[in-house]
Amino acid sequence: MTNNEVDAEQAYVDVLYGRLDWLRGRTDAELRAVRRAGASGTPQARSERDAFATLYEDRLVQLSGVEERLCFGRLDMSDRSVRYIGRLGLFDDNQSQLLVDWRAPASRDFYQATSLRPGEVVRRRHLETQGRSVAAIYDDVLDLDTFDARPDLVTHTSETTSLTTDGALLAALNAHRTGRMGDIVATIQSEQDEIVRAPLSGMLVVQGGPGTGKTAVALHRAAYLLYAHRERLESRGVLLVGPSPVFLRYISQVLPSLGETGVVTATSAELFPGVTVTGEDGEDTAALKGSQSMVDVLGRAVRQRVSIPAKERQMRVESTTIALRPRVMRSAAESARRNGRAHNAARAVFVRTMLQHLVDLYANATGHSPDAVDRADVESLLRDSRDVRRELNLAWPPLAAEQVLADLFASPERLFAATPGWSNDDRALVLRGRSEGWTTADVALLDEVAELIGADDEDAVAESHRERRVAADDLRHAREVLESFGGEAGQLVSAESLASRFTESEQLFTVAERAFVDRTWTYGHVIVDEAQELSPMMWRLLLRRCPTKSFTIVGDMAQATGPAVSASWEEALDPHVGGAWTRYDLTINYRTPALVMERASAMLSAAGFPTTPPTSVREGEAPLVVHIDVLASVAAIVGEQEGRLGGGRMAVIAPREVLPELGSALAPWLSSSDDELRARVVLLSGEQAKGLEFDVVVVVDPASMAAEGHHGHRALFVAMTRPTQRLVLAHFGELPEGLVPAMAYPSG
């Protein structure tokens, strides 16, 4: 038994960290030099200086983000070469590669090679590190014949080295949860890696049951795509849509740890700039608002805002009276609507046409020939006329999305006119006062209306888009700058992104910041997590955010609990993109123990929701069933389970209606800070628990949770599949069908 191999790996890891420290030091020195230069010089010089400062700042953030587990693997190849695999590529002074980025083609064998298909790999080694120290080694021998013939590769096992299959994976699975999702870059499995490295173009759907790593795969795919397609994606950005703010906080550390910080993350409620969601719809209301039928409703609501008067209107322009005839206005309106213009763009055409007509009328009314007047002066006079402005605005008003939707939902008359196929009960679901806050379902409707009405000033929008273009000379200069930095720089920023920082119009904001506040921004790629929750209207919003339809969509139809969810991926996607999407299935459950997964699946099937559970890698403990008489008894269960946690984390998941009472009973264990995910015990509803995982989960009153809302059984399924170690069901006497009698364990 010897630790010589650990010592040898430690020596190499020390070299890698030395190189990382050198890069940090050089980048920091360059940043300080730029800052010392001050604000003098020409505008172009200041612009370039700001761009360099941003580049150096980004590099420092990225270099700091990969500190933990910088190097996690090694490949010993049949040609006796060695490849070390890590979070980013590192090179020595001669540009010889010291560390291969996990996303590079040369690292693919680390994830794809098997004993049946080893390729050129003889041995795969996993390095487990703590801080900058190598703590353990796990070796997978893939080509045994070559391995036996290579004395230099013989593994001497000890407390810190072992010859084992999946040793690194099992160590990661058995580790306690910390309150933040960790990356799986060191343990990505073959079926996951295939998805991560799938082509950028097209819609990719990842279907996977609980614990299959859907979210982790999506995040690592984002990092991979930004590496493999940086020039295309960095200037347009990547959008990641998650189900809740809690979920986004939970995953917040993954991408920075992979060296990527430019991904825009948002919930569905945050996808319409300038609107903050403060209201909440009932399930029936949200389902109606999310349905495809709202497309026609909103289209009618916008068209009805154009109101041509039935009678001739008299207008006073200074001392002259002119008549506005409905026939002329109808003709101008029909002309403006040609070519499918949006409402505000068509309005601009309508107003221009009407003003030209009114110039002729004014000239005739004042005794002049239309050709004998200064038409520009007369048009200016007409624009200043209160009567002209009033009549044209009444006939075709400029609109804002919030105004249209608020008017529609607050006016029974407008709503009746826009919904000829609805019942009065349907209309009653969406009628509300103007002071009520916007809801998540409203966000997709606001975006639809915004698309229908268009921008107030089409020329300004066009100019905004022109300003985003990167000049060719700036691009050439940016490439020269990156070449001067050597091999590492090109992995951290693209020439296009650096060039965009040379332009004065883009100095002030990052791509992520600009994209987040611009409703018309189109992303290079969109990732949707828990995508089974999206309504048809929300899918329409997201497809507008990425017209190229480059999507990664991850979810599980068995966990769909939203009010307007679809029964299948075909039902969700085909109305929008036909069959133009590719499906991948994840089949291995790395989180939920088999004995827990079996009971959760049995309950869901008994409720009429057939499911194909993924195969769990661990058998684990059978769920514990505890009878309680009052909610306060949950405190004793939590106290007992906390004593067994040993450093892990626990979630108490309960029906929404009892959360306040449970919060009082569990006050001694719950965190009072804003970062509840760091607490050892957290209290959640089934919906809030979606996408999260804990060492221990206590589900309170599962029968009531199953009866809650339209998809209660699915919410209970979500809650039951959150634990990595132990599930406790605290019930009041009855359990949902499928959990009895198979779960008639001793109560206590």
Side-chain angles (χ1 to χ4, degrees):
M1 297 291 183
T2 176
N3 279 339
N4 288 344
E5 288 175 274
V6 173
D7 294 340
E9 299 295 6
Q10 182 66 62
Y12 195 83
V13 167
D14 289 342
V15 170
L16 297 177
Y17 275 110
R19 186 64 183 180
L20 183 68
D21 290 340
W22 179 84
L23 282 173
R24 282 178 179 163
R26 189 185 76 165
T27 305
D28 183 62
E30 290 165 339
L31 176 60
R32 283 187 278 108
V34 167
R35 287 174 173 167
R36 282 197 301 269
S40 60
T42 65
Q44 175 68 16
R46 290 196 299 271
S47 175
E48 291 190 10
R49 185 172 60 252
D50 290 343
F52 283 124
T54 303
L55 171 63
Y56 298 142
E57 289 165 355
D58 287 350
R59 292 191 70 197
L60 284 174
V61 170
Q62 291 165 324
L63 293 171
S64 297
V66 299
E67 167 76 25
E68 187 69 21
R69 299 199 73 182
L70 172 65
C71 174
F72 53 78
R74 163 179 164 165
L75 291 175
D76 291 286
M77 312 301 290
S78 58
D79 62 0
R80 294 183 175 267
S81 64
V82 175
R83 300 176 193 167
Y84 280 90
I85 313 298
R87 295 182 180 276
L88 83 168
L90 289 176
F91 302 82
D92 63 17
D93 291 336
N94 298 318
Q95 291 302 300
S96 296
Q97 191 149 34
L98 301 172
L99 186 65
V100 179
D101 192 298
W102 68 275
R103 299 165 288 189
S107 70
R108 185 161 192 170
D109 286 339
F110 186 78
Y111 303 106
Q112 292 288 336
T114 66
S115 57
L116 294 177
R117 294 187 297 275
E120 301 300 315
V121 180
V122 178
R123 179 179 67 180
R124 173 173 51 224
R125 169 167 285 180
H126 298 267
L127 305 180
E128 183 177 314
T129 57
Q130 296 177 356
R132 294 190 170 195
S133 300
V134 178
I137 292 172
Y138 302 96
D139 282 348
D140 302 331
V141 176
L142 305 183
D143 184 345
L144 190 58
D145 292 337
T146 303
F147 180 80
D148 289 340
R150 294 268 303 274
D152 58 305
L153 295 183
V154 174
T155 300
H156 302 281
T157 59
S158 70
E159 292 182 357
T160 54
T161 65
S162 63
L163 184 59
T164 179
T165 301
D166 294 332
L169 174 62
L170 291 174
L173 297 181
N174 290 322
H176 286 305
R177 271 41 190 176
T178 65
R180 289 290 185 274
M181 175 181 277
D183 64 68
I184 60 168
V185 64
T187 57
I188 295 173
Q189 301 302 291
S190 179
E191 69 172 5
Q192 297 172 327
D193 186 67
E194 183 180 0
I195 297 168
V196 168
R197 298 175 191 265
L200 170 66
S201 60
M203 300 189 78
L204 186 151
V205 175
V206 183
Q207 162 66 37
T212 52
K214 300 182 295 296
T215 298
V217 167
L219 293 170
H220 288 71
R221 177 162 168 76
Y224 170 77
L225 292 176
L226 282 165
Y227 172 89
H229 305 278
R230 192 170 296 279
E231 288 191 358
R232 176 174 172 181
L233 293 181
E234 193 166 53
S235 62
R236 299 309 311 161
V238 173
L239 172 65
L240 169 64
V241 181
S244 69
V246 173
F247 174 84
L248 293 181
R249 290 199 299 274
Y250 176 63
I251 67 171
S252 61
Q253 295 179 353
V254 176
L255 285 167
S257 75
L258 298 173
E260 299 296 345
T261 58
V263 175
V264 179
T265 61
T267 65
S268 297
E270 299 172 306
L271 292 177
F272 192 85
V275 165
T276 300
V277 168
T278 58
E280 184 175 355
D281 287 318
E283 287 195 23
D284 291 337
T285 299
L288 184 58
K289 287 181 176 180
S291 67
Q292 186 75 18
S293 66
M294 290 301 300
V295 175
D296 292 335
V297 171
L298 298 176
R300 282 190 288 268
V302 170
R303 287 193 297 274
Q304 289 164 3
R305 301 306 289 259
V306 177
S307 179
I308 305 301
K311 297 180 179 180
E312 183 177 287
R313 309 288 290 182
Q314 299 295 319
M315 298 183 300
R316 192 78 175 168
V317 181
E318 293 189 333
S319 60
T320 302
T321 300
I322 56 178
L324 193 60
R325 296 181 175 86
R327 177 182 56 80
V328 175
M329 297 182 73
R330 283 194 295 271
S331 176
E334 290 170 3
S335 176
R337 280 179 166 144
R338 292 188 189 121
N339 302 321
R341 295 183 182 94
H343 174 94
N344 285 333
R347 177 185 179 274
V349 175
F350 170 78
V351 170
R352 285 197 299 269
T353 302
M354 289 304 303
L355 286 174
Q356 289 301 309
H357 174 69
L358 293 176
V359 168
D360 294 343
L361 292 182
Y362 181 83
N364 290 330
T366 56
H368 296 85
S369 165
D371 296 331
V373 297
D374 187 323
R375 300 187 68 87
D377 286 346
V378 175
E379 183 175 323
S380 178
L381 180 66
L382 292 168
R383 286 182 182 275
D384 291 338
S385 166
R386 179 180 177 182
D387 284 3
V388 171
R389 291 199 309 270
R390 182 189 67 247
E391 294 301 334
L392 294 185
N393 284 336
L394 285 173
W396 198 311
L399 296 177
E402 295 94 324
Q403 168 197 358
V404 172
L405 200 61
D407 289 347
L408 177 65
F409 288 160
S411 168
E413 293 78 15
R414 289 186 186 278
L415 187 60
F416 184 85
T419 56
W422 284 21
S423 68
N424 288 332
D425 289 340
D426 286 341
R427 296 186 185 104
L429 287 173
V430 299
L431 273 173
R432 69 182 187 194
R434 290 182 178 277
S435 61
E436 294 185 35
W438 297 114
T439 68
T440 298
D442 291 333
V443 167
L445 305 186
L446 288 167
D447 196 75
E448 187 79 22
V449 174
E451 197 70 15
L452 291 170
I453 65 177
D456 287 336
D457 188 341
E458 294 270 306
D459 292 335
V461 174
E463 180 63 24
S464 175
H465 285 292
R466 283 194 294 272
E467 288 177 353
R468 293 191 189 122
R469 298 173 188 163
V470 178
D473 55 343
D474 282 342
L475 186 59
R476 286 193 297 271
H477 181 45
R479 286 174 175 154
E480 293 171 359
V481 170
L482 291 178
E483 289 174 3
S484 71
F485 281 102
E488 293 97 350
Q491 297 183 32
L492 300 179
V493 65
S494 71
E496 284 77 4
S497 180
L498 179 59
S500 71
R501 296 169 186 171
F502 290 158
T503 63
E504 192 166 3
S505 64
E506 296 189 342
Q507 288 177 34
L508 300 179
F509 303 103
T510 66
V511 168
E513 289 168 336
R514 286 184 285 122
F516 193 74
V517 300
D518 184 355
R519 192 199 71 82
T520 64
W521 189 274
T522 57
Y523 292 88
H525 190 75
V526 174
I527 295 174
V528 188
D529 205 340
E530 303 292 348
Q532 75 277 357
E533 303 301 327
L534 298 190
S535 69
M537 294 304 295
M538 188 56 70
W539 278 118
R540 288 175 63 86
L541 179 153
L542 289 176
L543 285 163
R544 284 192 286 271
R545 298 297 188 270
C546 187
T548 60
K549 297 181 176 62
S550 178
F551 276 72
T552 300
I553 299 163
V554 300
D556 178 19
M557 281 297 171
Q559 298 183 64
T561 61
V565 297
S566 302
S568 66
W569 291 116
E570 288 78 7
E571 182 181 317
L573 298 175
D574 286 354
H576 309 289
V577 297
W581 51 278
T582 303
R583 171 169 167 165
Y584 287 79
D585 285 87
L586 293 172
T587 61
I588 306 299
N589 186 339
Y590 301 100
R591 176 210 302 144
T592 316
L595 292 177
V596 172
M597 194 71 223
E598 288 172 7
R599 302 317 328 144
S601 298
M603 178 277 301
L604 197 60
S605 295
F609 300 102
T611 180
T612 304
T615 302
S616 297
V617 299
R618 297 168 298 163
E619 184 174 14
E621 302 178 16
L624 174 65
V625 180
V626 180
H627 180 272
I628 58 175
D629 296 316
V630 293
L631 280 174
S633 300
V634 176
I637 298 173
V638 170
E640 190 237 339
Q641 292 298 320
E642 190 196 27
R644 300 175 59 186
L645 269 177
R649 298 182 63 255
M650 184 193 323
V652 178
I653 305 177
R656 291 188 297 270
E657 63 185 21
V658 303
L659 292 178
E661 184 178 347
L662 265 180
S664 299
L666 301 178
W669 290 276
L670 302 179
S671 172
S672 59
S673 70
D674 293 334
D675 191 4
E676 71 275 15
L677 288 172
R678 292 293 192 188
R680 280 171 58 83
V681 181
V682 61
L683 178 62
L684 302 167
S685 68
E687 289 80 5
Q688 291 171 329
K690 191 160 290 184
L692 309 180
E693 62 182 19
F694 306 88
D695 296 274
V696 177
V697 169
V698 179
V699 176
V700 178
D701 196 4
S704 293
M705 186 177 293
E708 192 175 45
H710 297 323
H711 302 287
H713 284 88
R714 287 176 168 175
L716 176 58
F717 178 73
V718 170
M720 291 180 64
T721 55
R722 298 306 95 194
T724 64
Q725 304 295 334
R726 187 178 311 114
L727 172 66
V728 182
L729 297 173
H731 69 102
F732 286 104
E734 292 188 7
L735 288 168
E737 188 179 354
L739 300 185
V740 184
M743 297 189 65
Y745 305 120
S747 298

